[in-house]
Amino acid sequence: MNRSVSRRGFLEKAAGATAGVAALKGFPNLNLNYGVGLPEGLPLVLVSGSKTWASDAAWGVLKDGGEALDAVHAGAMAAEVYPRDSSVGVGGSPNEDGVIQLDCSIMDGKSMQCGAVGCIEGIEHPSTAARQVMEWTDHCMIVGPYATEFARKMGHTVTDISSEGSRDWYRRWIGRHSDSDDWFNAAESAAKMKRELPPSELGRRQRELERNHGTINVLAVDVRRDVAGCTTTSGLSGKIPGRCGDSPIIGAGLYVLRDVGAAGFTGRGEEVIRVCGSFTVCEQMRRGLSPTEASREAIRRMVDETNEGNANFSDNAVAINVKGEHGSFTVSGRSRYTIHNTDGRQTIQGEARL
Ligand code: GLY
């Protein structure tokens, strides 16, 4: 656990860094002595899974009194270029045609503004493109080749974002489709992998061959109690080209509610879209449920109302609120999330019983 920033030291620094900002924004009653007014758990970053490189980047912004929006953007950007992350950004999972199409959304609770890009190609930081949609346009979402073109106009370089890992995944994946085409079949591919790889590497590579939905949610509350979130992903591996999952859809893969909290989803996007997953979680938190209970309610709807009790899919909700509480609920039983606050960094097992 990283305890390099003590709560007291942090509060003194944050109060100094933000006092002027708070006064400017016309909050005369805001208690600038954050040691008194700020709940114990704030400021707070949450990332889905155990992607500590993302939570560290986000915390790096928050710990100096930075804004939640900048923190979630920094966390998402770190994930998008992390070389061993095969489900987000550079080196993400290719679609059916071997092309990496990325989805991303970002939302700022302070202004309730949002931006998203869907099926964007060749852009290292879809989170930046999504933020630019939010900050430079009157729109909320731009998709497909138009998203790529938008990003290019905003100054991004359009480049090859595949990696040796993503190309390797695709070569092996197409070999699994049929025994009667000209691609070597799955059995041969698996046997080759077994021959070539040491046992320690084999399990990881075999898991990589499974179709996955990857995705990272980065949520934050800053010292002003402003909330923000970002969800970024390459989406379902092997997806039909043009398929948008839940991640770029505000209310599905991400939602933020001013003065309440933020929520995000990972897992099979189609299920999340059907129940407006993240919006549902935030609405339940607005009604007073804790992040865990609110997440549970969204997952319950997903299972009961759209799948008639058949929970044969993996979806996971994560949420935080402005009181510094956090939680998660999953269908599959294997969910973790990582938080970072002044007590340090911690990876937590989420709840999984309906
Ligand atoms: N949740 C990510 C996806 O379904 O694409």
Side-chain angles (χ1 to χ4, degrees):
M1 206 183 275
N2 176 1
R3 293 183 182 273
S4 57
V5 185
S6 75
R7 180 163 174 83
R8 182 171 173 179
F10 166 79
L11 292 167
E12 283 163 2
K13 203 169 172 186
T18 59
V21 177
L24 270 181
K25 287 178 181 166
F27 294 110
N29 298 325
L30 185 63
N31 188 346
L32 296 178
N33 180 357
Y34 294 108
V36 176
L38 201 66
E40 189 65 26
L42 295 183
L44 173 67
V45 167
L46 180 153
V47 304
S48 52
S50 47
K51 299 180 176 182
T52 53
W53 47 95
S55 60
D56 286 353
W59 180 248
V61 174
L62 280 195
K63 75 177 168 51
D64 291 329
E67 299 203 358
L69 180 65
D70 292 330
V72 298
H73 186 195
M77 286 180 74
E80 285 163 350
V81 292
Y82 191 74
R84 289 185 59 193
D85 191 328
S86 59
S87 66
V88 171
V90 176
S93 305
N95 67 14
E96 199 177 68
D97 287 348
V99 176
I100 300 171
Q101 293 188 323
L102 305 173
D103 293 341
C104 180
S105 61
I106 192 163
M107 187 161 183
D108 178 20
K110 187 169 51 174
S111 60
M112 292 302 284
Q113 295 292 317
C114 56
V117 287
C119 296
I120 194 169
E121 294 178 16
I123 299 297
E124 288 188 352
H125 289 299
S127 59
T128 304
R131 186 169 175 173
Q132 286 165 328
V133 171
M134 175 173 80
E135 293 182 340
W136 288 83
T137 81
D138 190 36
H139 305 320
C140 291
M141 184 193 265
I142 300 181
V143 299
Y146 303 102
T148 308
E149 182 55 15
F150 169 80
R152 192 191 62 73
K153 285 183 190 150
M154 284 286 125
H156 296 245
T157 303
V158 181
T159 184
D160 178 7
I161 59 166
S162 70
S163 63
E164 187 44 50
S166 67
R167 292 189 291 271
D168 186 47
W169 181 90
Y170 185 69
R171 284 193 292 265
R172 293 178 189 281
W173 189 71
I174 49 182
R176 290 154 60 105
H177 282 174
S178 163
D179 287 340
S180 59
D181 63 19
D182 293 331
W183 295 100
F184 289 134
N185 67 31
E188 285 177 58
S189 179
K192 188 163 179 281
M193 200 157 75
K194 236 177 179 163
R195 270 198 314 276
E196 287 175 359
L197 294 176
S200 56
E201 185 72 348
L202 189 61
R204 188 178 70 80
R205 293 289 290 280
Q206 280 170 336
R207 278 194 300 282
E208 274 177 9
L209 266 185
E210 293 164 9
R211 297 183 81 186
N212 72 63
H213 296 83
T215 312
I216 185 168
N217 314 122
V218 190
L219 312 176
V221 184
D222 65 28
V223 288
R224 303 158 201 81
R225 300 178 209 220
D226 287 329
V227 195
C230 185
T231 294
T232 185
T233 189
S234 52
L236 173 65
S237 45
K239 64 191 173 185
I240 294 173
R243 176 259 191 193
C244 269
D246 59 318
S247 304
I249 299 178
I250 294 295
L254 175 72
Y255 199 68
V256 177
L257 206 43
R258 180 170 47 219
D259 297 333
V260 174
F265 266 81
T266 55
R268 197 178 115 85
E270 283 72 11
E271 307 303 332
V272 183
I273 292 169
R274 288 186 182 111
V275 296
C276 296
S278 296
F279 178 77
T280 298
V281 175
C282 285
E283 274 303 301
Q284 296 301 322
M285 289 198 291
R286 191 213 287 269
R287 291 181 57 230
L289 294 195
S290 70
T292 303
E293 284 306 305
S295 301
R296 180 182 192 278
E297 173 59 17
I299 295 284
R300 188 197 62 73
R301 287 187 196 189
M302 197 178 274
V303 175
D304 290 355
E305 294 173 18
T306 70
N307 293 276
E308 295 165 345
N310 174 17
N312 187 21
F313 53 93
S314 75
D315 280 292
N316 183 62
V318 291
I320 58 177
N321 66 20
V322 292
K323 293 188 263 183
E325 297 169 336
H326 46 83
S328 160
F329 212 93
T330 189
V331 178
S332 75
R334 277 177 54 226
S335 94
R336 283 188 302 178
Y337 64 96
T338 302
I339 59 153
H340 209 140
N341 57 23
T342 52
D343 286 335
R345 192 179 72 205
Q346 206 183 342
T347 295
I348 294 169
Q349 187 73 41
E351 294 284 328
R353 283 182 310 276
L354 279 174

